[in-house]
Amino acid sequence: MIKYPQLKPLVDDWINQFLENKELINSAFNQYGSPINIHFLEPFIQNYHEYLEVLQNHKLDHLVFYARKANKSKCFVKSAATQQFGVDTASFNELNQSLEIGVPSDRLVVTAAVKTEELIQLALEHHVLIIVDNQDELAHIEMLCLKGGHTAQLGVRISGFDWNGQKLYSRFGFDITSALAVVKEIHSNKCFDFKGFHFHLNGYSIDQRVQAILQTLDLSELLAQDGIETEFIDIGGGLLMNYLEDEEEWIAFDDHLKKSVLHKAEPITFMNNGLGYESIDEKLHGCLKTYPYFNRNPKSVFLDGILSQMVKGEQKVSDLLRNQNIQLRMEPGRSLLDQCGITLARVISRKEDSNGDLLVGLEMNRTQLCSSSADFLLDPIYLPNSEGRKPRETSVYFTGAYCLEQDIILKRKITLSVYPEIGDMVCFVNTAGYMMHFYESEAHLFNLSTNLVASKDHTGDFTLEED
């Protein structure tokens, strides 16, 4: 049998402990159907404190916002409120729920790509900071301020930073070359109260983030000469996390995928999908269009790498922020949710397709394990629903419930230790960040997945409750 590359995920202890309770899992399936999302809050708090330690070590005034868009469950907002950090909201419902849960207005921010009148009005009524993206938004906010007698707390999103002589493109925000004029316009308007700058960079370059901070600090210095204070710089999210145990597995997978695309090795993805690689004239082109699942410098190491970089002589980035008395803000989503959730689904069918591949149908669809990445590159944990089954290595593709040829849950071929049977369970690990909800749909009138929160009772046993 062909050995397909493995990508073993990092698995928190609580996940292994939870999966031992087959009775609890089966009871949840019987009550809620499949799939089920299980959330656990302890890693969420630990991840926040990991960032907090770096910010405190650099002696920075700071505010960390949880990017609510990464997961729609309310439990994380409640935890953020209890732990006294902030919540980044991107819709009326996200903001309204956060206010109802009790997150104070001064620890909320609105960064929505499209800001409806309903959302702006709610933010104005509760004095919530709005990150403004364009002139039309400014005009809309001004109209509502004049109508209701409000003063809008505004941050200005900027983009177009210089990087090696080229602009870093983003469709969001004001170009940095026009930002000075925009802030002066805001400052001169009695309806507005300028608070600071916000940016978010695609990709995962520490150096690009350093340059964006430096260019924003230069902008703040120019404003200070006109008596306009910049209270904060918000560097957004996109702080790397690490999903995988072994870098060698990651390298081996990438190498095998490239060879497969060039037809020099057995395909390891459905229909030999290159996940961004392609063969043109028998030469490899493109790049892997997935999240970089293995990282040596995740979370706090990534943040410390930004703040510790030496610039302008012998000063760190954090020194410059302190010297200008500017608060550093950030909005991690995925990395705050590291190890906070799993997705469980049941096997409902098996069939061999015309290519001779075994397709294992799950009671779920691809939108319930889906982000903007080309594939979710972690081995799932397979849970046979009966004891004593003989080992029998079997390579499969997991397929979903939508009437689409492309409803393949994982594009990568997965090797199981047993032959799959109906009623077996599959656990997809570390799915809380962007994987569970970001693209989830109700096509075919299927129900959305149920979100459950796991906690431990006084005996250490797990209990479940609806989010």
Side-chain angles (χ1 to χ4, degrees), residues 72-289:
K72 68 183 181 184
S73 299
K74 291 181 284 188
C75 61
F76 298 112
V77 179
K78 293 175 182 176
S79 181
T82 302
Q83 296 295 314
Q84 299 186 334
F85 60 101
V87 179
D88 162 29
T89 64
S91 71
F92 173 84
N93 286 337
E94 285 188 1
L95 178 58
N96 193 46
Q97 274 190 359
S98 299
L99 288 165
E100 289 177 346
I101 285 168
V103 183
S105 295
D106 61 358
R107 293 208 299 272
L108 287 167
V109 62
V110 172
T111 60
V114 172
K115 300 176 181 70
T116 63
E117 183 166 321
E118 183 183 37
L119 172 60
I120 296 170
Q121 188 67 44
L122 184 65
L124 292 175
E125 289 171 358
H126 291 271
H127 309 288
V128 174
L129 179 73
I130 302 171
I131 302 299
V132 68
D133 180 82
N134 55 69
Q135 287 289 349
D136 286 340
E137 280 186 0
L138 273 176
H140 198 175
I141 293 168
E142 181 183 27
M143 181 269 289
L144 292 175
C145 285
L146 291 170
K147 183 177 178 181
H150 302 291
T151 300
Q153 313 294 308
L154 296 184
V156 174
R157 182 163 182 166
I158 52 177
S159 59
F161 299 102
D162 178 73
W163 172 249
N164 292 336
Q166 295 185 331
K167 277 186 173 293
L168 292 176
Y169 176 78
S170 172
R171 74 180 182 92
F172 300 107
F174 295 91
D175 190 278
I176 191 169
T177 58
S178 65
L180 193 67
V182 170
V183 174
K184 288 182 178 180
E185 174 191 340
I186 289 171
H187 182 70
S188 66
N189 192 320
K190 293 182 180 179
C191 292
F192 301 146
D193 186 4
F194 170 72
K195 294 295 185 181
F197 289 107
H198 173 283
F199 64 79
H200 178 91
L201 300 183
N202 281 334
Y204 306 100
S205 165
I206 286 177
D207 289 340
Q208 286 181 2
R209 282 163 174 76
V210 168
Q211 285 303 312
I213 291 172
L214 294 180
Q215 290 168 47
T216 308
L217 284 169
D218 289 344
L219 189 57
S220 301
E221 283 189 316
L222 290 173
L223 289 170
Q225 294 172 13
D226 289 329
I228 302 173
E229 180 184 1
T230 301
E231 295 182 12
F232 69 81
I233 293 174
D234 188 328
I235 65 172
L239 284 82
L240 276 172
M241 57 172 276
N242 180 38
Y243 282 96
L244 296 172
E245 281 188 6
D246 190 341
E247 185 176 17
E248 292 303 315
E249 287 188 350
W250 178 241
I251 294 170
F253 161 76
D254 188 57
D255 182 62
H256 194 132
L257 180 63
K258 291 174 181 176
K259 290 177 180 176
S260 298
V261 171
L262 293 172
H263 305 288
K264 295 179 179 179
E266 182 77 12
I268 55 173
T269 56
F270 190 75
M271 303 300 289
N272 203 19
N273 188 314
L275 307 181
Y277 294 124
E278 58 181 331
S279 176
I280 302 175
D281 297 328
E282 299 182 350
K283 293 183 179 180
L284 190 72
H285 292 262
C287 61
L288 188 63
K289 293 182 179 179

Side-chain angles (χ1 to χ4, degrees), residues 370-389:
C370 182
S371 185
S372 56
S373 182
D375 199 16
F376 186 56
L377 297 179
L378 305 184
D379 289 350
I381 298 173
Y382 196 76
L383 303 167
N385 206 28
S386 57
E387 302 295 332
R389 202 180 307 174

Side-chain angles (χ1 to χ4, degrees), residues 7 30 58 85 140 178 245 267 320 380 388 457:
L7 291 173
N30 291 337
H58 282 274
F85 60 101
H140 198 175
S178 65
E245 281 188 6
L320 299 180
D457 61 21

